[in-house]
Amino acid sequence: MERSGVALGFTRKPSRSWSDFPSKAGGAPVWLDPQNLPPMADACCGFCKEPLQFLLQVCVPLPEGDDENRFTLLVFMCPKMACLNLDQAQQSQETSHRSVKVFRAQVAARRNDPNGVQLCDWCHTWKGGSQCGGCRKISYCSRKHQVEHWQAGHSYSCKDSSSDKRAEKKTLWHEFELEFSEEEGSEEEEEDEEAADADDPGIVPATNLEGFQEASREDSFWAAFQARMTRAPSQVLRLGSSRAGDSQPLWMKLEGQASDADIPSCQLCGAPRVFEFQVMSQLLYFFGVENERDSLDWGTIAVYSCRDSCPAEGYVQEFAWVQSSP
C-alpha cells in the first residue's frame, strides 16, 4: 500500500469567487463546460430516479506544464441511505444503476456560458429543462425540485414578485473550499501500520482458532486505520500520491475493499482506471448530516478515472467504489 506523498484535503470557508479550476465540497458545482452538461438520465440516481446531489469536485494535479490535460473530477450522490445500500450490492458491475456517480471534465480553460444555459433554480446543479407554469421565469431539472421549491416559498412569489417570502434551499449541503497539505508521519509509524495490514491469520492451522485470528486481523487493521487518521482527524479527502497506478486508498476495514478486477476500464479508450482520491466520512460532519439510523453514511468513497486521461467533449463518467462503515 502506498504510504508516502499523500495529500490531505481539509474544509475551509469558501472564497467570495471561485477560481477557474476550484476544489470544493457542498453547495453547487462549478461547471467547467456548462454547454455540455451530463444528460438527466446520467444525473439521476439509478434506484430512486431522483436528481443526484453535488458532493464535491477536485482539480486533479498533473505534471507541471501539462495544463492542456488539466481535469476536474466531480462527485454526485443520492442522499438516501436506502439507495446507497442498494448500490453496494452491484457496484462491481458496469451499470448505470448507481447512487454515486463521478464525472470527469477535461478542458484547457474554464469555458464561459455565452448562450446562457439555464440551470435548475432549486438545486443550481443540473440543466433546467422545464419552466414554472405560473411565472415562466423559474426553471427546474425535475418535477421533484419544482414541488420542493413551491412548498418552500415559490408559491408566494410565483405571481407576486413583491413578496418577501424567500424559498430556502434545503437540497444543498453546506459549502466549503478544499485546501490540501501533504500528510505527515514518521517512517516508523508507516512501517508499523503496514505490518498490521499484512498480518496473516493463515499461519495458524488450528481450525478452532480461525475465527479468533480473523477477528484479531480485523481489529489490527481497524487500529492501523484509526492511527493513520488521528494524524489529521479533520481530513475529509485523501489525494493519491501518484497516477502511475501504484497509489491505493486507505481502506478502513478488510471487508469491502476493491480489487483490480472490480474497477472497470475507461468506457471511451479502454485504458485501465487508476485511483485518484478518496472521500472520508468526516465530510458528513461538516455537512451537518445527523447521525441517525437511516442517515447517509459511508466508510470511504474511492474515486478512479482513466489512466490516460483520454480527451472527450463535455463530461465523461468515471467510477467510484464505496466501502461501507464498520
Side-chain angles (χ1 to χ4, degrees):
M1 182 178 291
E2 185 71 21
R3 295 289 189 176
S4 62
V6 174
L8 305 181
F10 302 90
T11 60
R12 72 176 183 184
K13 185 177 180 180
S15 305
R16 292 186 177 181
S17 61
W18 296 108
S19 65
D20 284 350
F21 294 89
S23 291
K24 66 185 297 286
V30 176
W31 293 111
L32 305 185
D33 187 4
Q35 291 292 335
N36 296 288
L37 298 185
M40 282 308 299
D42 294 337
C44 292
C45 173
F47 302 100
C48 68
K49 308 303 180 182
E50 295 179 355
L52 295 172
Q53 193 162 326
F54 173 68
L55 186 70
L56 56 78
Q57 66 187 84
V58 177
C59 179
V60 178
L62 290 174
E64 187 176 355
D66 198 12
D67 291 342
E68 292 298 321
N69 290 324
R70 177 170 20 183
F71 67 92
T72 290
L73 293 170
L74 301 97
V75 184
F76 301 83
M77 72 184 306
C78 180
K80 298 178 182 178
M81 189 62 199
C83 291
L84 186 58
N85 287 333
L86 293 172
D87 186 283
Q88 297 286 291
Q90 57 183 37
Q91 63 179 342
S92 61
Q93 306 171 20
E94 187 70 35
T95 174
S96 60
H97 289 81
R98 297 297 308 274
S99 70
V100 183
K101 296 183 181 182
V102 182
F103 297 94
R104 170 168 57 92
Q106 190 163 325
V107 294
R110 181 175 166 186
R111 298 172 181 173
N112 294 323
D113 186 14
N115 295 324
V117 173
Q118 179 65 52
L119 296 178
C120 174
D121 280 277
W122 182 239
C123 69
H124 292 288
T125 299
W126 307 111
K127 187 177 295 186
S130 61
Q131 285 187 327
C132 172
C135 65
R136 299 288 181 181
K137 297 178 180 179
I138 304 296
S139 296
Y140 300 102
C141 66
S142 62
R143 174 65 176 171
K144 177 179 184 290
H145 285 184
Q146 182 176 7
V147 171
E148 288 181 352
H149 192 198
W150 184 265
Q151 295 174 343
H154 187 58
S155 57
Y156 291 89
S157 60
C158 180
K159 296 182 179 181
D160 181 10
S161 58
S162 63
S163 173
D164 59 359
K165 177 71 174 180
R166 297 183 179 181
E168 180 184 357
K169 296 178 175 59
K170 297 182 179 180
T171 61
L172 304 180
W173 282 308
H174 301 317
E175 187 174 49
F176 298 96
E177 185 173 352
L178 294 176
E179 58 179 356
F180 297 91
S181 62
E182 188 170 344
E183 183 181 35
E184 298 180 356
S186 68
E187 294 182 1
E188 291 78 7
E189 287 175 326
E190 293 173 2
E191 290 173 357
D192 289 343
E193 290 162 11
E194 288 189 3
D197 292 349
D199 184 24
D200 186 0
I203 61 175
V204 180
T207 56
N208 62 335
L209 293 179
E210 287 180 359
F212 171 79
Q213 288 283 22
E214 186 61 31
S216 177
R217 186 182 179 211
E218 186 69 61
D219 290 343
S220 297
F221 197 94
W222 171 244
F225 172 83
Q226 287 185 311
R228 192 73 176 271
M229 292 297 294
T230 54
R231 299 182 188 177
S234 60
Q235 61 182 283
V236 299
L237 188 140
R238 299 176 63 86
L239 192 64
S241 59
S242 73
R243 302 195 70 248
D246 56 350
S247 183
Q248 296 293 329
L250 177 65
W251 301 113
M252 68 185 311
K253 60 181 181 178
L254 293 170
E255 182 184 6
Q257 296 185 24
S259 66
D260 291 341
D262 290 325
I263 310 303
S265 299
C266 175
Q267 60 186 356
L268 293 183
C269 71
R273 287 188 171 106
V274 296
F275 170 66
E276 300 287 2
F277 61 83
Q278 65 186 111
V279 186
M280 314 309 290
S281 59
Q282 181 72 1
L283 183 61
L284 293 169
Y285 167 79
F286 291 100
F287 281 168
V289 176
E290 296 181 358
N291 186 20
E292 298 180 352
R293 181 177 181 181
D294 296 326
S295 297
L296 184 65
D297 188 25
W298 66 77
T300 190
I301 302 174
V303 174
Y304 300 80
S305 76
C306 176
R307 178 198 61 190
D308 297 338
S309 304
C310 61
E313 187 70 17
Y315 294 85
V316 180
Q317 192 162 341
E318 295 290 4
F319 186 77
W321 180 273
V322 183
Q323 186 181 49
S324 62
S325 57

